[in-house]
Amino acid sequence: MRLSTKGRYAVMAMTDLAKRQDESEGRAVALAEIASRQQISLSYLEQLFARLRRKGLVISARGPGGGYRLAKASSETFISDIVLAVDEPLRATRCGLSKNQAKGCMAGGERCMTHGLWEEMGRQIHGYLASVSVADVLKGELRPNGDKVGRPMEIAAE
């Protein structure tokens, strides 16, 4: 499964927002500041933050000193919520949906032999992202309770 730029940038920007908001005792943070620090296009961030605002993850403030604030504490803002807010499905299968029913990826609508594997992987990824808050990312606490995970996964270069 591959997380798109949209999801990654939204998480990066929300983490930056949380850090700057904490450092400035809750003042709103301008998107231009986030765009500059994270090297993300301002117009792209505006599109992402419009979605984040509609989903209730951020609050906007207009005028001098305006910008954005987290709608909830960073410890209550979960990575899965951010990714889903920018319309990134957390599915690993290539199967589509038809009238709220799963449609298989094979001709005739059947599911492939590995469908269960990819579906479970998607659930695991969603579960992990739903367990990690923005505050966890800022603190570097990415494994709940310091749990050790099996051998490290090798990440292929893009």
Side-chain angles (χ1 to χ4, degrees):
M1 178 174 178
R2 183 179 171 138
L3 186 60
S4 76
T5 302
K6 194 185 309 182
R8 284 195 312 264
Y9 283 4
V11 171
M12 290 167 57
M14 289 287 282
T15 304
D16 186 289
L17 172 63
K19 181 178 182 187
R20 303 307 168 183
Q21 185 176 308
D22 287 348
E23 291 174 352
S24 64
E25 299 174 1
R27 83 163 175 87
V29 179
L31 282 187
E33 296 173 23
I34 297 172
S36 176
R37 281 190 296 271
Q38 298 303 317
Q39 299 176 354
I40 301 171
S41 157
L42 178 57
S43 62
Y44 195 64
L45 272 186
E46 288 169 344
Q47 293 173 30
L48 294 177
F49 270 71
R51 292 176 181 196
L52 294 165
R53 187 176 45 77
R54 279 194 300 271
K55 296 293 184 174
L57 294 175
V58 294
I59 300 167
S60 61
R62 295 184 182 268
Y68 286 88
R69 291 185 193 89
L70 294 178
K72 298 184 277 188
S74 60
S75 61
E76 297 172 12
T77 303
F78 293 92
I79 303 304
S80 61
D81 295 333
I82 297 168
V83 173
L84 292 171
V86 296
D87 296 333
E88 288 297 306
L90 294 172
R91 292 183 308 141
T93 65
R94 65 179 186 177
C95 297
L97 293 176
S98 175
K99 294 188 182 186
N100 296 330
Q101 292 187 1
K103 180 181 176 189
C105 58
M106 305 294 285
E110 294 101 27
R111 292 181 174 183
C112 66
M113 292 179 2
T114 58
H115 179 87
L117 170 68
W118 306 127
E119 192 171 56
E120 180 57 26
M121 185 181 82
R123 275 195 289 275
Q124 294 288 329
I125 291 169
H126 181 271
Y128 175 69
L129 295 178
S131 75
V132 177
S133 71
V134 171
D136 294 333
V137 174
L138 287 173
K139 291 185 279 186
E141 295 176 1
L142 302 179
R143 292 199 171 93
N145 303 321
D147 293 345
K148 298 290 182 200
V149 175
R151 65 189 168 116
M153 182 174 77
E154 292 182 30
I155 306 295
E158 291 187 24

